[in-house]
């Protein structure tokens, strides 16, 4: 199987190099995002329960200290509410939403790169195919009158390898990009919901 893979890479030509680099980079980003966008990394149930208890008892300084000690997406949004507790409910809500927008780039890190890979991989494959066809027609023009079906089909087969490779990289990368974009948005919205829930406790 390894030998077959090497053969396909060799038959695909020089364009297979950037396609493979795109595949490796996309895979690295996917694993990194899977690890860093875990819900457990951003939300701690025990911490949230403790914060709710402190707010019920109106212990704002203790809750503020706890948020500063456990820095995360959730605590940063809650901290905005705690540090602006003297403002109106609507002002605090706007501040929380604004902080959520500021946190978005952290959660969406590398997604632009992932989207770029999903966009360019098919074009790299198409470029490889076009170059492959050019080589085929160049050989055919040199051997005019001596063309055979086997040689022609082999040339077309080799030319299409890069298109297949580009699509194999682009399709799962695009799926991963959409998944992580939704995942990041979901984490921010959930953090905002938690912060607003604590705000309701704070403003009772």
């Amino acid at each position: 199987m390894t030998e077959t893979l090497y053969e396909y890479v060799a038959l695909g030509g020089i364009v297979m190099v950037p396609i493979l680099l795109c595949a490796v980079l996309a895979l690295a980003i996917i694993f990194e995002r899977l690890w860093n966008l875990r819900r457990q990394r951003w939300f701690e149930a025990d911490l949230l329960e403790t914060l709710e208890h402190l707010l019920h008892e109106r212990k704002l300084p203790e809750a503020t200290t706890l948020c500063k000690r456990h820095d995360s997406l959730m605590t940063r949004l809650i901290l905005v509410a705690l540090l602006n507790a003297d403002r109106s409910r609507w002002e605090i809500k706007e501040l929380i939403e604004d902080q959520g927008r500021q946190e978005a780039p952290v959660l969406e890190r590398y997604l632009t790169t992932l989207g770029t890979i999903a966009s360019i991989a098919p074009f790299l494959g198409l470029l490889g195919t076009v170059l492959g066809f050019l080589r085929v027609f160049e050989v055919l023009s040199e051997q005019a009158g001596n063309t055979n079906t086997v040689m022609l089909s082999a040339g077309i087969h080799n030319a299409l390898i890069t298109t297949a490779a580009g699509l194999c990289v682009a399709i799962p990368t695009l799926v991963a990009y959409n998944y992580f974009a939704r995942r990041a948005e979901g984490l921010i919205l959930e953090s905002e919901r938690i912060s607003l829930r604590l705000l309701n406790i704070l403003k009772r």
Side-chain angles (χ1 to χ4, degrees):
M1 185 174 178
T2 305
E3 290 178 358
T4 304
L5 179 60
Y6 286 141
E7 288 173 4
Y8 271 108
V9 172
L11 292 172
I14 191 66
V15 180
M16 286 295 289
V17 175
I19 291 175
L20 288 175
L21 289 175
C22 285
V24 171
L25 182 57
L27 198 59
I29 293 173
I30 288 170
F31 280 118
E32 188 275 339
R33 290 290 82 191
L34 282 172
W35 177 257
N36 283 308
L37 290 182
R38 291 172 299 133
R39 189 182 184 281
Q40 299 90 329
R41 186 178 187 277
W42 301 99
F43 302 104
E44 300 178 40
D46 294 340
L47 177 62
L48 181 58
E49 186 177 340
T50 303
L51 285 170
E52 287 181 348
H53 177 72
L54 290 173
L55 291 180
H56 276 298
E57 296 186 352
R58 301 296 172 186
K59 295 181 178 179
L60 268 64
E62 291 84 348
T64 302
T65 301
L66 189 61
C67 285
K68 290 180 178 179
R69 190 181 304 150
H70 297 83
D71 185 49
S72 69
L73 169 65
M74 179 185 75
T75 55
R76 285 194 290 272
L77 266 65
I78 295 172
L79 194 58
V80 168
L82 295 176
L83 294 176
N84 296 277
D86 56 330
R87 300 196 182 192
S88 69
R89 182 190 299 270
W90 298 112
E91 285 180 309
I92 298 174
K93 181 180 179 181
E94 288 181 2
L95 289 170
I96 289 172
E97 291 174 350
D98 182 61
Q99 182 65 31
R101 286 190 290 271
Q102 293 180 39
E103 295 290 340
V106 177
L107 295 175
E108 295 172 355
R109 186 179 299 162
Y110 306 129
L111 291 191
T112 301
T113 304
L114 206 60
T116 302
I117 291 172
S119 298
I120 67 171
F123 290 108
L124 287 172
L126 182 59
L127 174 62
T129 296
V130 170
L131 293 176
F133 277 123
L134 288 175
R135 288 195 298 269
V136 170
F137 289 122
E138 184 180 346
V139 172
L140 291 178
S141 64
E142 291 174 355
Q143 300 181 5
N146 297 317
T147 306
N148 62 73
T149 307
V150 175
M151 183 182 70
L152 182 60
S153 61
I156 293 173
H157 169 267
N158 295 347
L160 290 173
I161 287 174
T162 54
T163 294
L167 291 174
C168 286
V169 172
I171 293 171
T173 301
L174 182 60
V175 171
Y177 170 82
N178 289 327
Y179 170 76
F180 291 131
R182 292 290 182 87
R183 182 70 174 161
E185 183 183 0
L187 289 173
I188 292 172
L189 291 175
E190 187 172 358
S191 295
E192 289 179 356
R193 282 195 296 269
I194 291 171
S195 301
L196 293 174
R197 190 173 82 222
L198 294 182
L199 175 61
N200 289 333
I201 298 174
L202 190 62
K203 288 295 184 179
R204 281 178 182 173

